Amino acid sequence: MAAVVAATRWWRLLLVLSAAGMGASGAPQPPNILLLLMDDMGWGDLGVYGEPSRETPNLDRMATEGTIFPNFYSANPLCSPSRAALLTGRLPIRNGFYTTNAHARNAYTPQEIVGGIPDSEQLLPELLKEAGYVTKIIGKWHLGHRPQFHPLKHGFDEWFGSPNCHFGPYDNKARPNIPVYRDWEMVGRYYEEFPINLKTGEANLTQIYLQEALDFIKRQARRRPFFLYWAVDATHAPVYASKPFLGTSRRGRYGDAVREIDDSIGKMLQLLQDLRVADNTFVFFTSDNGAALISAPEQGGSNGPFLCGKQTTFEGGMREPALAWWPGHIAAGQVSHQLGSIMDLFTTSLALAGLTPPSDRAIDGLNLLPALLQGQLMDRPVFYYRGDTLMAATLGQHKAHFWTWTNSWENFRQGMDFCPGQNVSGVTTHTLEDHTKLPLIFHLGRDPGEKFPLSFASTEYQEALSGIAQVVQQHQEDLVPGQPQLNVCNWAVMASLRQGTQWHLLYRGEGFRPPGPCSWDS
């Protein structure tokens, strides 16, 4: 037992040294890294976060055996930019995953997008390969459709999944169904070889993604260290689950999808334990953005006590569930109040591998190992971007809104409601409101729902504004925006493959549309 304790202390010391850029000769093999990224799952969707149905026993157990982060954020309230931020450790405004077609517009990577992850960006799997990692992505890529954006060109050794979400079905004329790939080969399409029954919600995709993960872990567990990025999308509307889980949740079809994901994660964690590699595998669970309340309750989740949801820079759009698990290293039953970000997974993973982040660019992610292993809290701001615009910033317990907006009156009147039942006068606005001269400031500890802005005349407001203003000014002075990747759309670039084994482009649409600016409504 003493030897185990000594070894654990040495490994922790090694991690601290690695995080500081210091090496150690004869270092043990770095740990495996398993990142579990959910799609549109909200802060309030897990039992450990207060969901009353308590239908996530495996994730709840993961929390009790590890660390829970109640203050963890995505880098954007939409999927593509958030995923780009995770894999680069950089805000979307830096890595190019934003649009300048309109002020403060959300944007992503539909099939007709021309842009994608730039070659100039260094992605996490590329860097981990320097430390001998084998890398795989399972599920949703969402960083571009064209050949130069393929995940195997950006550091992944293997891929099973899709360049997009499971939107559809389409008629394969004006728009093809979304393809599914194994590495470079297209093995089918959603709604065709990979059926999704929109009427019943039945689909076997989560089971397929689970088996892919189990097979990969079994193959690699005793070989080289592995990095597995499990990015499933069952909780993105239209939500789906396999037949054994349909109708089993008190929360409806969305709950069925959550239950199946929870069961799948339980099987992965159990396999790590059965293979006796759990103590050498760092596991982190989170989501790409807040729950899509526009699809709730049947097709969307819960953001708990927070305001609004996906697409907005209120807390419900960007605060995420987050769990860290590493038996023998991360103490059980811990709650970390560290302000965390999805970008921290980039820097933390590099530290686990004994690597330092690239020094030739700004990196926004922090190394969370001091918080996880030693309980340290590090001061850092959280920036809330919507497209090209810094909408808000949090420092400590205070959040300042420089702009407020949910969506346009036009879209709202058509039934698109990002904040159902949560109207806050002067806050959840349907026009883009400028507060840059006198920001709205909320104390998130006392007012997590952002309902009661501080009085402009209060001492607390003035002190909070002073601190946040300094941080924001420094951020904006240092900011070098990346070339925007989400400006141009062209229907002729839809990734398509009927035969063969190579990823290539084949336009098979009708009603040709010339290239032009993408139209983003919100």
Side-chain angles (χ1 to χ4, degrees):
M1 183 64 184
V4 173
V5 173
T8 301
R9 287 174 178 169
W10 162 246
W11 181 242
R12 290 183 180 180
L13 176 60
L14 174 68
L15 293 174
V16 173
L17 292 174
S18 298
M22 303 170 62
S25 61
Q29 176 173 295
N32 307 310
I33 300 170
L34 172 56
L35 299 186
L36 306 166
L37 184 69
M38 303 300 103
D39 201 340
D40 291 4
M41 188 176 284
W43 191 94
D45 279 331
L46 308 186
V48 71
Y49 278 89
E51 201 291 308
S53 298
R54 294 294 195 274
E55 294 179 344
T56 54
N58 295 290
L59 287 165
D60 295 349
R61 180 169 57 86
M62 181 179 169
T64 61
E65 294 176 355
T67 295
I68 181 172
F69 288 87
N71 307 307
F72 195 87
Y73 291 86
S74 67
N76 193 268
L78 204 61
C79 38
S80 293
S82 183
R83 291 160 192 265
L86 186 161
L87 291 175
T88 63
R90 288 154 54 81
L91 286 163
I93 193 70
R94 299 192 203 274
N95 63 39
F97 262 65
Y98 68 101
T99 182
T100 56
N101 288 355
H103 185 30
R105 290 299 196 274
N106 289 318
Y108 67 109
T109 54
Q111 291 189 79
E112 61 269 24
I113 198 77
V114 171
I117 193 69
D119 285 340
S120 58
E121 292 297 322
Q122 291 186 287
L123 271 62
L124 179 57
E126 295 178 73
L127 298 170
L128 289 176
K129 288 169 74 71
E130 297 176 9
Y133 278 76
V134 177
T135 61
K136 179 163 185 167
I137 172 175
I138 297 172
K140 180 175 171 181
W141 170 237
H142 224 21
L143 300 189
H145 294 259
R146 301 171 72 194
Q148 64 266 39
F149 307 132
H150 191 289
L152 269 60
K153 285 204 169 188
H154 292 274
F156 283 104
D157 296 310
E158 301 179 27
W159 178 33
F160 183 86
S162 174
N164 209 318
C165 196
H166 57 280
F167 298 118
Y170 302 117
D171 61 7
N172 280 330
K173 294 179 181 179
R175 183 184 295 271
N177 281 318
I178 306 289
V180 176
Y181 286 86
R182 180 176 297 284
D183 300 333
W184 285 98
E185 181 181 0
M186 194 188 85
V187 293
R189 294 179 183 274
Y190 291 138
Y191 302 97
E192 296 178 22
E193 292 83 359
F194 296 90
I196 303 170
N197 188 319
L198 294 182
K199 183 177 181 180
T200 65
E202 182 177 354
N204 289 324
L205 285 165
T206 300
Q207 290 303 307
I208 295 171
Y209 293 147
L210 168 61
Q211 195 57 52
E212 285 288 324
L214 298 178
D215 290 346
F216 178 77
I217 292 170
K218 289 174 185 176
R219 287 200 322 267
Q220 299 299 335
R222 297 296 181 184
R223 300 179 182 177
R224 294 158 55 190
F226 67 77
F227 169 62
L228 176 56
Y229 175 43
W230 199 67
V232 296
D233 68 351
T235 46
H236 187 298
V239 298
Y240 60 78
S242 63
K243 192 171 183 178
F245 290 90
L246 285 175
T248 65
S249 171
R250 296 179 181 179
R251 304 180 62 195
R253 192 177 297 177
Y254 180 87
D256 296 340
V258 172
R259 291 200 67 202
E260 184 167 18
I261 288 172
D262 176 80
D263 182 78
S264 298
I265 291 172
K267 287 181 168 65
M268 282 187 264
L269 299 183
Q270 186 60 53
L271 177 62
L272 294 172
Q273 293 172 324
D274 292 344
L275 295 174
R276 299 185 179 180
V277 294
D279 62 349
N280 195 40
T281 305
F282 175 84
V283 183
F284 202 98
F285 169 95
T286 190
S287 180
D288 62 348
N289 47 248
L293 300 187
I294 191 173
S295 306
E298 184 70 13
Q299 297 276 334
S302 167
N303 294 314
F306 302 118
L307 184 63
C308 300
K310 178 182 179 178
Q311 302 260 18
T312 79
T313 49
F314 300 108
E315 290 296 285
M318 290 182 60
R319 198 186 296 208
E320 312 304 328
L323 311 172
W325 185 85
W326 191 13
H329 303 277
I330 295 174
Q334 300 300 302
V335 177
S336 175
H337 292 286
Q338 172 66 47
L339 280 181
S341 166
I342 200 168
M343 296 177 290
D344 299 342
L345 300 180
F346 175 88
T347 310
T348 304
S349 296
L350 293 181
L352 288 165
L355 301 171
T356 55
S359 59
D360 62 345
R361 65 199 64 204
I363 299 295
D364 297 293
L366 295 181
N367 175 14
L368 292 176
L369 293 179
L372 286 166
L373 303 180
Q374 300 164 345
Q376 295 182 14
L377 296 180
M378 298 165 279
D379 289 333
R380 65 99 59 87
V382 172
F383 298 118
Y384 305 69
Y385 272 88
R386 181 166 173 164
D388 61 353
T389 303
L390 179 62
M391 302 287 286
T394 287
L395 187 66
Q397 295 263 50
H398 292 99
K399 180 179 180 181
H401 286 271
F402 311 114
W403 299 85
T404 56
W405 190 34
T406 55
N407 62 343
S408 67
W409 277 114
E410 179 183 3
N411 286 341
F412 179 71
R413 290 175 180 132
Q414 291 173 354
M416 297 175 60
D417 190 352
F418 295 161
C419 314
Q422 292 184 303
N423 179 59
V424 180
S425 180
V427 178
T428 55
T429 56
H430 291 289
T431 54
L432 184 60
E433 298 294 329
D434 184 351
H435 305 281
T436 53
K437 292 183 179 179
L438 203 60
L440 301 178
I441 298 181
F442 299 86
H443 187 288
L444 296 178
R446 298 192 302 265
D447 179 23
E450 299 171 279
K451 294 180 174 63
F452 308 104
L454 301 180
S455 167
F456 297 140
S458 68
T459 301
E460 181 182 2
Y461 179 91
Q462 297 299 327
E463 291 177 348
L465 178 60
S466 175
I468 293 173
Q470 291 181 35
V471 168
V472 169
Q473 180 180 356
Q474 188 65 54
H475 168 69
Q476 293 179 329
E477 288 177 355
D478 296 341
L479 179 65
V480 180
Q483 184 70 25
Q485 296 294 308
L486 308 181
N487 278 352
V488 180
C489 287
N490 182 356
W491 280 44
V493 302
M494 292 189 188
S496 173
L497 187 64
R498 276 301 189 193
Q499 296 177 348
T501 59
Q502 295 296 312
W503 167 296
H504 69 269
L505 301 176
L506 172 64
Y507 177 64
R508 71 173 196 226
E510 297 178 354
F512 174 74
R513 302 183 187 183
C518 302
S519 177
W520 307 112
D521 293 331
S522 58

